[in-house]
Amino acid sequence: MTPSVRLQEMIRVIRSARTQGEERGIIQKECADIRAQFRQGDNGERSHSLAKLLYVHMLGYPAHFGQMECVRLIASPRYSEKRIGYLGAMMLLDEKQDASLLITNSIKNDLSHSSQYVQSLALCTLACMGSAEMCRDLAPEIERLLRASNSYIKKKATLCAVHIIRKVPELAELFTPSARSLLSEKNHGVLHGAVVLITELCEHNPDTLDQFRKAVPELVQIMKGLVTSSYSPEHNVAGISDPFLQVRILRLLRILGHNNDTASDAMNDLLAQVATNTDSSKTAGSAVLYETVLTIMDINSESGLRVLAVNILGRFLLNNDRNIRKKNTLFSTYCTLLFLLYAPPSGFYCSRALELSLALVSAVNIRSMMKELLIFLSTCPPELRSQTTSGIFNAAERYSPSKRWHIDTILHVLTTAGGDVRDETVPNLIQLITTASELHCYTVHKLYRALVKDISQQPLVQVACWCIGEYGDLLLKGECEEIEPVQVTEDDVLDALETVLQSHMSSPATRGFALTATMKLSTRITDNVDRIRSIVSIYGSCIDLELQQRAVEYNALFKKYDHMRAAVLERMPVMDKNSPGHTNGDTSGENKEPDPSKPKPVEAGLLSEPASQVCDLLDLLGGTDTPLQPNPAPTSTPTTTSSADLLDLLGGLDVQLQMKAPSGNVIPAHGLGQVTQTVVLNNPNKASLPCLFLCSCLSH
């Protein structure tokens, strides 16, 4: 039986195994025979034994004992053994294996071999599994082969150079001169490798961009030759001349023309020619057109060219061929985004494109889509900002890959367009932050930096103040693994909050957040409590009634109930995500029809008390002729509805009162819902409580 038939026979026997156990038995027997062949030394059967072992490896069985045999065969003078040895090295070795270092000298010798096929084996192996050390040692040899006269060697050397640059970026300068000269080659394989090499050089070293921008005219001529060339059976794919090379050239032109008027002008005519002359009825033509559109949109192209690109995108979206319309899961998404970002200025079309873009967001493309939507948000027309922010929030809520990504996305929106977000954005973000306990340190550091940098975006400032009040101790520690920590002192934090309180840009709601945060810091810092007491007392006479009421209550905590201050100002409990008021920007349920299967609610008038009785009950808070004011912002204190008069009802008893977070901050009209709040009384001495006090608690 000949050796080749022996390999075929082994494959046949393995495939005929009826059970996995039978297959394992056959593999074990064959592996034992292969080991015996390896131990016999040079008997002419080693290469065939290694070939059988590689098939065993392809089936998923251990084949590590053949690594050293690969090294021996690579050093063999016979081409048949070298070929199997190099193939085994690419399959069984990687840069983490010590045995890979043993073939460095053999590869170096074979790179200078007289046979192009032996040189090719060495180049392929180095490009496949060469480690950083091997790349450093053999880089001069690869650069020498780039200047060889043999096109077969050149095209493999260029791809090997790409691998070296990816492994050792500092060696990129070694290949820059040779890469430019490769563009004069006629062989398509060499040209393809040269374009890939230049692309890699430009992406790893921006300094080389200026050098290769001088080569734009050459690339344009090569591309024109491909577009206008006659039929060539060697390179033709569905009527398109070498679409692989065309796509690579278009990607390189996109890099070279980005933010450069000269390079962009040099390729405008070419892009128009490709866009108009390429047949889009086949997949190959659609791929070329797709890259053409991306290039047009990314360079400083003419307005007429952009209109042409938009028309091409429209044809893609309307194409009935699913292979073209949805070539991959992001194809239609990117088309729509490009239309959104670069269409002619028309509010109607831009708004419809935005709606379509948001509809195409999914868990698969959320990161890439959100990146483009955030870019659009920074430049979109003012009338579309509210729609864009709401769409971004809804998409992030549905498809966020992680809580940190979700928080970062919302903070980015608040930084860019904080004035255009809905009112519920602040409580929704606060709810999200409270549930991400592992990110409290990261969030408070990031928000503090944003607060110090800019206080013009009111929603962002409100969330920042809330976080500083809740997690100020984490900020002062200066220890955070997720972000580079900054050394922040107590005075720094209080200075930032005072800036918010005194700024003319701060709304009353924002000042309320800042004052509450300042008060909460009184239990989280040690050296500046007197300064906090002074800040709070100043606002006890503020003309804004909401701010004045807060300051008066906080002063009462300092004076009469200082022993309760730590308990009252402790961290907020985790908020219920599904409670009323947390809509995440979704207003679709605001006007829902009542479910007919449920009993109708009793009319609100039947349950309401006479107005005089309600006023008498509320008068227990201290009595005032001032009408009740709606709270413009949620505060971070669990006892935000308590007043000094309510606390005074305790009458000096050793009783502690804690009011848990309410189930929501919106009471639906017409008795269609309710908001509950738990009051916890700690009465260790079992003292009797005044009835008036209990009624006051119920009134809250």
Side-chain angles (χ1 to χ4, degrees):
M1 188 177 295
T2 62
S4 60
V5 175
R6 288 173 53 193
L7 174 60
Q8 295 175 358
E9 180 66 17
M10 184 190 76
I11 295 174
R12 187 190 64 80
V13 173
I14 292 175
R15 288 183 175 179
S16 64
R18 298 181 179 179
T19 63
Q20 189 173 8
E22 185 179 351
E23 178 183 291
R24 283 197 299 267
I26 297 172
I27 295 295
Q28 290 175 358
K29 181 178 181 301
E30 291 294 338
C31 286
D33 294 340
I34 292 172
R35 289 175 186 270
Q37 292 287 344
F38 287 165
R39 286 193 295 267
Q40 291 179 8
D42 189 5
N43 57 1
E45 295 294 326
R46 293 189 304 169
S47 61
H48 301 292
S49 299
L50 183 58
K52 294 167 62 178
L53 182 62
L54 295 181
Y55 179 77
V56 171
H57 171 73
M58 292 170 60
L59 296 178
Y61 291 93
H64 57 278
F65 59 89
Q67 292 175 353
M68 291 306 300
E69 194 63 25
C70 295
V71 176
R72 297 188 187 97
L73 291 178
I74 289 174
S76 172
R78 303 192 190 103
Y79 176 77
S80 59
E81 294 186 346
K82 275 185 179 293
R83 182 179 60 179
I84 297 297
Y86 275 121
L87 178 61
M90 287 185 275
M91 294 178 63
L92 302 181
L93 299 179
D94 56 44
E95 57 183 77
K96 298 179 182 179
Q97 304 288 340
D98 294 336
S100 64
L101 300 176
L102 301 177
I103 65 174
T104 303
N105 192 56
S106 297
I107 292 178
K108 184 176 181 180
N109 293 334
D110 289 339
L111 289 176
S112 302
H113 201 276
S114 58
S115 171
Q116 65 175 0
Y117 301 108
V118 174
Q119 289 180 310
S120 174
L121 291 175
L123 288 170
C124 291
T125 304
L126 179 60
C128 178
M129 47 77 64
S131 62
E133 292 77 8
M134 293 174 65
C135 290
R136 289 190 181 94
D137 293 339
L138 301 176
E141 297 295 325
I142 304 302
E143 195 277 333
R144 176 180 60 83
L145 292 177
L146 287 176
R147 293 180 276 106
S149 58
N150 191 330
S151 298
Y152 179 77
I153 297 299
K154 274 187 180 180
K155 67 179 181 181
K156 294 183 178 294
T158 54
L159 298 180
C160 191
V162 171
H163 174 79
I164 292 175
I165 294 172
R166 290 173 180 172
K167 283 293 182 182
V168 192
E170 58 267 24
L171 293 177
E173 296 181 359
L174 178 64
F175 302 104
T176 301
S178 301
R180 174 68 186 275
S181 63
L182 291 174
L183 292 177
S184 59
E185 290 286 331
K186 301 299 182 183
N187 184 278
H188 282 213
V190 178
L191 280 176
H192 189 280
V195 173
V196 174
L197 177 58
I198 295 174
T199 302
E200 199 71 27
L201 290 170
C202 293
E203 289 178 344
H204 278 79
N205 187 8
D207 296 335
T208 61
L209 276 173
D210 292 334
Q211 300 182 38
F212 288 110
R213 281 190 175 121
K214 299 176 183 178
V216 168
E218 296 180 56
L219 292 169
V220 169
Q221 290 301 319
I222 296 172
M223 189 69 185
K224 283 185 177 180
L226 292 173
V227 175
T228 60
S229 64
S230 58
Y231 176 78
S232 174
E234 185 180 357
H235 307 116
N236 187 277
V237 178
I240 306 297
S241 178
D242 204 342
F244 304 101
L245 181 56
Q246 289 193 44
V247 167
R248 286 292 184 181
I249 293 176
L250 288 169
R251 290 180 183 175
L252 178 56
L253 290 175
R254 182 162 72 246
I255 296 173
L256 298 177
H258 184 68
N259 292 333
N260 188 275
D261 293 332
T262 304
S264 298
D265 291 341
M267 62 184 76
N268 274 332
D269 293 340
L270 168 69
L271 295 174
Q273 185 178 9
V274 175
T276 54
N277 294 342
T278 303
D279 182 11
S280 61
S281 61
K282 302 295 184 181
T283 303
S286 298
V288 173
L289 285 176
Y290 178 56
E291 291 296 332
T292 304
V293 169
L294 292 178
T295 303
I296 291 173
M297 296 305 184
D298 206 35
I299 68 173
N300 301 337
S301 56
E302 300 173 351
S303 58
L305 200 56
R306 289 176 177 264
V307 174
L308 178 60
V310 170
N311 292 333
I312 295 174
L313 293 179
R315 293 202 303 269
F316 280 148
L317 293 174
L318 297 175
N319 199 304
N320 293 326
D321 188 345
R322 296 183 62 186
N323 191 38
I324 295 176
R325 181 160 48 92
K326 302 186 72 173
K327 184 170 57 176
N328 54 61
T329 56
L330 298 180
F331 186 81
S332 297
T333 299
Y334 283 139
C335 289
T336 308
L337 272 174
L338 289 172
F339 181 76
L340 165 66
L341 296 175
Y342 302 108
S346 172
F348 172 76
Y349 290 113
C350 204
S351 177
R352 295 302 300 272
L354 175 60
E355 294 175 4
L356 182 56
S357 297
L358 294 173
L360 289 172
V361 177
S362 66
V364 177
N365 61 23
I366 180 65
R367 291 183 182 273
S368 56
M369 283 289 293
M370 194 59 66
K371 180 180 178 181
E372 300 295 339
L373 287 170
L374 292 175
I375 293 174
F376 171 71
L377 178 63
S378 62
T379 59
C380 74
E383 62 271 16
L384 287 179
R385 286 201 167 195
S386 178
Q387 181 185 0
T388 306
T389 56
S390 298
I392 289 175
F393 288 157
N394 290 334
E397 174 69 19
R398 293 183 63 187
Y399 304 114
S400 61
S402 66
K403 287 186 177 180
R404 173 170 175 173
W405 181 92
H406 193 179
I407 292 174
D408 287 343
T409 300
I410 298 180
L411 293 182
H412 186 106
V413 174
L414 294 181
T415 304
T416 305
D420 299 289
V421 300
R422 294 181 176 178
D423 294 337
E424 64 267 18
T425 300
V426 172
N428 287 341
L429 178 55
I430 289 175
Q431 182 272 329
L432 175 63
I433 293 173
T434 59
T435 59
S437 57
E438 70 281 3
L439 297 175
H440 287 169
C441 184
Y442 166 79
T443 306
V444 72
H445 275 84
K446 189 163 186 175
L447 282 169
Y448 173 76
R449 296 181 184 184
L451 179 66
V452 173
K453 185 177 180 181
D454 180 24
I455 62 171
S456 63
Q457 303 290 351
Q458 294 298 287
L460 179 67
V461 176
Q462 292 172 11
V463 177
C465 291
W466 186 91
C467 275
I468 291 174
E470 291 294 318
Y471 314 118
D473 51 335
L474 301 178
L475 177 63
L476 295 172
K477 285 182 181 180
E479 301 175 358
C480 187
E481 297 179 357
E482 295 85 3
I483 191 174
E484 182 181 355
V486 292
Q487 294 300 324
V488 182
T489 64
E490 296 179 1
D491 287 325
D492 293 335
V493 178
L494 293 177
D495 288 343
L497 293 175
E498 273 200 284
T499 300
V500 176
L501 286 168
Q502 299 170 4
S503 174
H504 68 279
M505 294 185 291
S506 298
S507 65
T510 302
R511 288 191 175 95
F513 275 94
L515 185 63
T516 301
T518 304
M519 185 64 187
K520 298 208 79 170
L521 286 177
S522 66
T523 62
R524 291 152 175 77
I525 64 177
T526 56
D527 299 333
N528 284 275
V529 178
D530 291 337
R531 180 180 175 184
I532 294 176
R533 185 183 290 109
S534 175
I535 295 173
V536 171
S537 63
I538 291 174
Y539 290 91
S541 57
C542 180
I543 61 174
D544 181 82
L545 294 181
E546 170 67 22
L547 205 60
Q548 180 188 112
Q549 179 185 355
R550 294 185 188 220
V552 170
E553 293 173 0
Y554 296 156
N555 273 319
L557 278 178
F558 272 125
K559 294 177 182 179
K560 294 184 180 180
Y561 312 103
D562 194 61
H563 62 286
M564 298 172 56
R565 182 160 50 88
V568 171
L569 300 178
E570 64 185 7
R571 286 185 181 176
M572 285 279 289
V574 177
M575 300 180 184
D576 183 7
K577 182 176 181 181
N578 297 320
S579 64
H582 296 291
T583 61
N584 292 304
D586 184 9
T587 59
S588 60
E590 291 181 355
N591 297 317
K592 291 182 178 179
E593 294 293 332
D595 189 350
S597 63
K598 296 182 180 179
K600 294 184 178 180
V602 182
E603 292 294 333
L606 299 178
L607 298 178
S608 61
E609 296 290 337
S612 60
Q613 295 183 17
V614 176
C615 293
D616 291 339
L617 182 59
L618 294 178
D619 192 53
L620 293 172
L621 295 177
T624 178
D625 294 333
T626 305
L628 294 177
Q629 301 291 331
N631 191 353
T635 62
S636 58
T637 309
T639 57
T640 55
T641 59
S642 299
S643 66
D645 297 309
L646 176 61
L647 294 174
D648 193 51
L649 292 173
L650 295 173
L653 298 175
D654 189 14
V655 179
Q656 291 186 354
L657 169 67
Q658 182 181 12
M659 304 185 75
K660 297 295 186 178
S663 60
N665 55 13
V666 176
I667 301 179
H670 307 299
L672 297 179
Q674 62 181 2
V675 175
T676 60
Q677 185 174 18
T678 303
V679 179
V680 179
L681 279 175
N682 185 11
N683 188 9
N685 296 331
K686 308 297 181 180
S688 60
L689 300 177
C691 180
L692 185 62
F693 168 72
L694 296 176
C695 293
S696 298
C697 293
L698 294 175
S699 71
H700 286 279

